[in-house]
Each structure stands twice: as structure tokens, then as C-alpha cells.
Amino acid sequence: MATRTRRRAASRPKPTRPTGVPDVGSADGDSESEGDGTDRVDKEAIRERVWDDLEESGEARFPFPPHGRIPNFAGASEAAERLAEQPEWTDATTIKANPDAPQLPVRRRALREGKIVYMAVPRLRDEKCFLKLDPDELADYDDATTVSGSSKHGEQVGPDEIDSVDLIVSGSVAITENGERIGKGEGYSDLEYAVLRELGLVDESTPVATTVHERQVIDDAVAIGAHDVAMDLVVTPERTVRPEGSAQPSGIDWDLLDEERLEEIPVLDRFAT
């Protein structure tokens, strides 16, 4: 079982992000262009294409249809195994993971290796907006790592109760080899990162990984905003891609949060000035 001694990944220099949009917010950056003269494909068009391709190729897995969600895929367990071979995984004792089906093998493996797993409460709707899964406190790892089981077995905690996070694992609809991620379009993954960053629980050196099917790795020039979290590891069942470093967002971009979302996410109150 892994010890609880924290080991941080070595910091590495990363180039500066474009400054058109500051920091992190909740929007998923669905604009078609970043203003650099490059033709970029609309994110929603890419989502639909990837969802259709996974379904038509037979590579999608339950839940069906893959559309409108982080799609589960054939080989998700193999991708989790490959991720577990990486030094970022080995060094981590505390992981923040998304709750989606394709990362279920990642969450289960983490608990079985003695790592603490944090998952966000859906839509960050509570002040105690994270669920803590401590392998020393759980009897049923399989159930505890499901969406329904995590709320039953996990301990709901506020940000002040979270240990520093050694590794973030995100789900993706599509990803480029440069680490440019496309999610479902709701922006909660980026906002969760922003909250952790504001609290000093993650920093520029904290690695961020995603596990995907090869069919989700795209060549498109994706419109990425300054609020989007870049992936440091892209892991498929067949290979591991390490994108060149890209600067991560440094906090919450309040300009991207409308009144409705501010009211829906109580944890944001502690940061408002």
C-alpha cells in the first residue's frame, strides 16, 4: 500500500499561454478561432464527429449512446494500466479524478494501490464540493468508485479538507497530441481545476492526464482558450503521448461566470471579493 508521504512532480518550464482570456472560468472555449489566423474547427462539430465515430465503429461501451457524455470505450482498462506504468502515477499518493465511466478502472486501480481519490460533487453544487475516497476507510472499492457509490461510500469534504493533489485525471471527448482537450462543453472540469488552483492544492507542476481511445485523438486545430486546462499525459490502450509543456491557468476567470452559475456553486463565494 502506498504511503501518505507527498511527492511532487518536478517543476518544468512551460511556455506562456496566449493572454486573450485571463485565467480559468467555466466556459469550454467553443469559439471557432483564437484570432491567430489559423483555421480552427468548432468544438461541437468535433464532439459530434467523435461520438458518431465511436458508436459507428463499435468501439463505444456502456453507457449508450456515447453522445452528450465523456464516452466510454473499448480498452479503457488497458489505458488505465498504461497510465499506472507512468512515473507521475507511481509518485502520486493523492489523485483527483473525474467520475465518468471510462475512468472507472483508473479510480479502482488508485484505491487498490492505496491512493486517496477525490471526485467532485456533480456540478460543484454543495459547499462541501468534493468526495474523498480513502482506501483505508472503504470496504468495497468497486462500488465506491461508481457515480452512485461514491456518494454513498465517500466522505463529502470542503476544499479546506483536501490534501494537496499529486495527479489529476480528466475525461475527454477528444484530445490532440498537443494536449488540447475537448470535454462535454459544460466547463466543470476546468472550473474544478480553478478552484483547486485558487486554494494552492495544485500548481503549475501538477501533472494532468487523460485516458482515451485512439479514435478520440484528433489532428484538428482546436480552438483553445486561456481557461482550458492542458493535458500533460494522453494515454490510450496502445501508447502514451507526452505533449510539450503548455502553461496552465492560474485561477478563476470571473468574467466567464454568469450570475446563474455563481448562484449554483456555493464554493465560489469564498473567493469573491
Side-chain angles (χ1 to χ4, degrees):
M1 181 164 296
T3 65
R4 290 290 184 266
T5 302
R6 290 196 65 252
R7 292 168 288 177
R8 299 291 297 178
S11 180
R12 50 191 173 85
K14 296 186 177 184
T16 304
R17 246 176 204 264
T19 57
V21 182
D23 297 329
V24 164
S26 63
D28 199 33
D30 280 2
S31 60
E32 296 184 5
S33 173
E34 291 296 292
D36 59 1
T38 302
D39 291 334
R40 294 176 181 269
V41 180
D42 175 65
K43 284 186 176 182
E44 188 57 33
I46 295 175
R47 291 186 189 101
E48 293 296 333
R49 190 184 76 211
V50 171
W51 286 327
D52 288 346
D53 180 58
L54 287 172
E55 184 173 51
E56 293 166 5
S57 66
E59 296 298 313
R61 292 294 182 268
F62 180 85
F64 296 104
H67 301 72
R69 66 179 86 244
I70 300 297
N72 199 7
F73 58 89
S77 294
E78 289 78 4
E81 290 175 6
R82 184 174 290 276
L83 174 61
E85 296 171 355
Q86 309 309 312
E88 292 87 349
W89 176 276
T90 303
D91 289 346
T93 60
T94 305
I95 293 174
K96 187 267 179 185
N98 62 300
D100 301 284
Q103 284 70 48
L104 178 61
V106 173
R107 300 191 295 274
R108 286 179 174 167
R109 181 157 191 144
L111 291 182
R112 287 169 182 152
E113 293 188 12
K115 304 179 191 294
I116 290 177
V117 175
Y118 289 100
M119 300 165 61
V121 171
R123 298 181 178 273
L124 299 171
R125 63 179 176 240
D126 298 326
E127 173 65 27
K128 292 191 172 185
C129 56
F130 290 93
L131 293 165
K132 179 181 180 179
L133 303 178
D134 186 337
D136 292 340
E137 304 294 330
L138 297 170
D140 187 347
Y141 293 171
D142 287 349
D143 190 42
T145 45
T146 64
V147 173
S148 59
S150 62
S151 60
K152 180 171 65 174
H153 298 285
E155 176 188 1
Q156 196 163 343
V157 297
D160 293 339
E161 302 171 83
I162 295 179
D163 300 323
S164 294
V165 174
D166 298 315
L167 172 66
I168 296 174
V169 179
S170 298
S172 302
V173 174
I175 187 78
T176 72
E177 291 189 0
N178 293 325
E180 299 162 328
R181 170 186 172 273
I182 298 178
K184 292 181 293 186
E186 297 177 336
Y188 285 101
S189 180
D190 293 330
L191 187 53
E192 291 160 16
Y193 179 95
V195 169
L196 294 174
R197 188 71 187 261
E198 291 278 0
L199 291 165
L201 299 173
V202 300
D203 59 29
E204 187 77 5
S205 71
T206 306
V208 186
T210 189
T211 56
V212 293
H213 193 279
E214 278 289 339
R215 289 178 175 271
Q216 293 173 262
V217 182
I218 61 173
D219 296 326
D220 303 78
V222 177
I224 293 297
H227 64 278
D228 290 303
V229 178
M231 299 296 106
D232 300 297
L233 285 170
V234 178
V235 183
T236 79
E238 292 81 20
R239 60 178 173 147
T240 301
V241 178
R242 292 179 174 275
E244 293 186 7
S246 177
Q248 297 290 23
S250 60
I252 296 170
D253 182 354
W254 297 99
D255 291 337
L256 296 178
L257 296 169
D258 59 27
E259 288 299 323
E260 181 178 1
R261 183 156 292 195
L262 289 171
E263 292 175 1
E264 291 173 347
I265 304 176
V267 71
L268 295 177
D269 290 343
R270 68 173 57 202
F271 305 119
T273 57

